[in-house]
Amino acid sequence: MPPAHAQIPVDDETYVLVLTGAGVSAESGIPTFRDLGGLWEQYPVEQVASPQGFRDDPQLVWSFYSERRRRGLTCQPNPGHLALAALERRLGERFLLITQNVDELHRKAGNQRLLEIHGRLYQSRCAHCQRPPFDDERCYDASGAPPLCEVCEAGGRMGLLRPHIVWFGELLDPRHFLEIEEFLERSRSGRLVFLAAGTSGSVFPANTLVDQARAAGAETWLVNAEPPDNAQRFERFVQGRSGEILPRLFG
Ligand code: BV8
C-alpha cells in the first residue's frame, strides 16, 4: 500500500474520471448504506428503495426520503467535496464526476461536470405522467397521504409524486452512459486517471465503471476507509477518510 501521502500527478495531458459513493458524504454527517448503523440496517431496502416498495406503501417510502431530505438540508460539503470541485476548476473539460450519491453535496460544493446517476434527493417527479423532474425540498410524514401530481389532477387523473431517485431494479439514465463513453473516448488523447472514493462497490452498474475505465487505458485509484470487496480491481488503494485524503491526493 503506497504511503499515506500518495499523490496522483496531474498535468496538461491528464484526464480525471471520478466515481463517488456514500463514504464521501459520511464526514458531512450523512449516514452511509452498508457501514455499521447504515441506512440499510434501519430500513429494508426492498421496502423503501424499490418500485414494488413504492407501490405497496408510498407513505413509508415518502417518510424514508423525507427523513433524508430533512437531515440533508443541515449538511454541508466537507473538504473531500471541496477538493473535487477545485479539481474540476483546474481541469475543466478534462474532468468528469460520476456520483452514486443523491444528497446533492457535490452540486453544493460547486461541481458542474457532474452525473448524478442514482438521482437527486431534492427533486420529485410524477410516477404516472411524463412531466419532467422538478426541484422539491418538501418533507412528507407517514401520517399524511403521499403527495399528488398537480398536472395529473388538472387533467382529472390521479398521479402520485415520487422522489427522483433510481431505485433497485430500475434502469439508470442512458444519457449518463453516453456522456461517460464520450469522456473516455476524448481522454485517449491524454493520460486517463480513474478515481473511486467512498464506495463499497456493491451496486451494479456503477461498480463496473472501474473496468470500463481500465479498458480505456486508465490508471485506477481507490480511496476508501476500508478495503471494499472490489479493491483488487484497482491498481492503487489509499486507505483513509476521503475528507483527509482527497485535498492532498492530486499533485
Ligand atoms: C439496474 C438510490 C438493470 C437509493 C441506489 C444481483 C447481483 C448483482 C446485481 C444485482 C442483483 N440483483 C439486482 C442487481 C442490480 C442492482 C444491484 O446492484 N443490487 C446490488 C445491491 C446487489 N442494481 C440495480 O438495480 C440498478 N439498476 O441494474 O438495472 C437491472 C434491473 C433489474 C435486475 C437486474 C438489473 C439500480 C441501482 C441503483 C440503486 N439505487 N441509490 C437511495 O440512495 O435512496 S444505490 C445505493 O447504493 C446508493 O446510491 C449508494 O450510493 C449506492 C452504493 O453504495 P455506496 O455509495 O458504495 O455506499 P456504501 O454504504 O455501500 O459504502 C460506503 C463506503 O464508504 C464503504 O466502503 C465505507 O468503508 C466507505 N467509507 C465510509 N466512510 C468513509 C468511507 N470512505 C472514505 N471516507 C470516509 N469518511
Side-chain angles (χ1 to χ4, degrees), residues 4-75:
H5 59 276
Q7 277 223 319
I8 300 177
V10 171
D11 61 22
D12 294 348
E13 303 293 311
T14 309
Y15 287 72
V16 179
L17 180 63
V18 183
L19 170 69
T20 60
V24 163
S25 293
E27 291 159 79
S28 295
I30 294 190
T32 63
F33 291 87
R34 298 170 184 86
D35 287 325
L36 280 180
L39 280 171
W40 298 148
E41 265 185 18
Q42 304 157 52
Y43 290 90
V45 177
E46 61 288 339
Q47 283 182 13
V48 294
S50 77
Q52 187 58 50
F54 183 70
R55 277 192 294 276
D56 294 348
D57 190 345
Q59 281 163 287
L60 173 66
V61 172
W62 267 115
S63 59
F64 172 63
Y65 284 97
S66 296
E67 184 208 326
R68 290 172 68 190
R69 279 186 177 171
R70 209 172 282 120
R71 181 183 197 136
L73 283 173
T74 61
C75 296

Side-chain angles (χ1 to χ4, degrees), residues 1-226:
M1 184 174 65
H5 59 276
Q7 277 223 319
I8 300 177
V10 171
D11 61 22
D12 294 348
E13 303 293 311
T14 309
Y15 287 72
V16 179
L17 180 63
V18 183
L19 170 69
T20 60
V24 163
S25 293
E27 291 159 79
S28 295
I30 294 190
T32 63
F33 291 87
R34 298 170 184 86
D35 287 325
L36 280 180
L39 280 171
W40 298 148
E41 265 185 18
Q42 304 157 52
Y43 290 90
V45 177
E46 61 288 339
Q47 283 182 13
V48 294
S50 77
Q52 187 58 50
F54 183 70
R55 277 192 294 276
D56 294 348
D57 190 345
Q59 281 163 287
L60 173 66
V61 172
W62 267 115
S63 59
F64 172 63
Y65 284 97
S66 296
E67 184 208 326
R68 290 172 68 190
R69 279 186 177 171
R70 209 172 282 120
R71 181 183 197 136
L73 283 173
T74 61
C75 296
Q76 294 305 322
N78 65 59
H81 293 107
L82 299 176
L84 294 175
L87 188 60
E88 174 176 330
R89 288 193 295 274
R90 183 177 166 194
L91 295 181
E93 303 245 311
R94 289 183 283 117
F95 176 91
L96 183 61
L97 172 54
I98 306 162
T99 188
Q100 301 171 92
N101 301 338
V102 298
D103 57 38
E104 305 196 13
L105 286 178
H106 286 303
R107 197 175 273 272
K108 235 184 211 175
N111 279 108
Q112 296 175 342
R113 293 181 55 75
L114 172 64
L115 302 179
E116 292 160 303
I117 59 171
H118 289 165
R120 293 177 58 179
L121 184 58
Y122 296 103
Q123 287 203 322
S124 299
R125 71 171 196 254
C126 178
H128 301 274
C129 77
Q130 298 310 311
R131 75 186 279 195
F134 55 94
D135 291 346
D136 185 5
E137 293 186 353
R138 289 174 297 178
C139 297
Y140 308 90
D141 56 36
S143 58
L148 296 178
C149 169
E150 308 80 15
V151 173
C152 285
E153 252 181 320
R157 299 179 309 277
M158 213 276 273
L160 281 183
L161 292 184
R162 58 166 280 180
H164 182 48
I165 296 277
V166 180
W167 284 326
F168 289 98
E170 293 188 317
L171 297 173
L172 279 64
D173 185 337
R175 290 169 299 184
H176 290 157
F177 291 98
L178 289 176
E179 287 200 47
I180 294 165
E181 278 161 29
E182 186 275 333
F183 183 84
L184 291 175
E185 195 47 44
R186 212 157 30 85
S187 74
R188 289 180 189 281
S189 64
R191 168 179 152 267
L192 175 63
V193 172
F194 177 80
L195 167 69
T199 180
S200 63
S202 316
V203 174
F204 174 88
N207 59 6
T208 63
L209 290 170
V210 59
D211 307 315
Q212 205 179 339
R214 189 185 322 101
E219 184 185 320
T220 53
W221 289 70
L222 172 66
V223 169
N224 211 59
E226 305 294 332

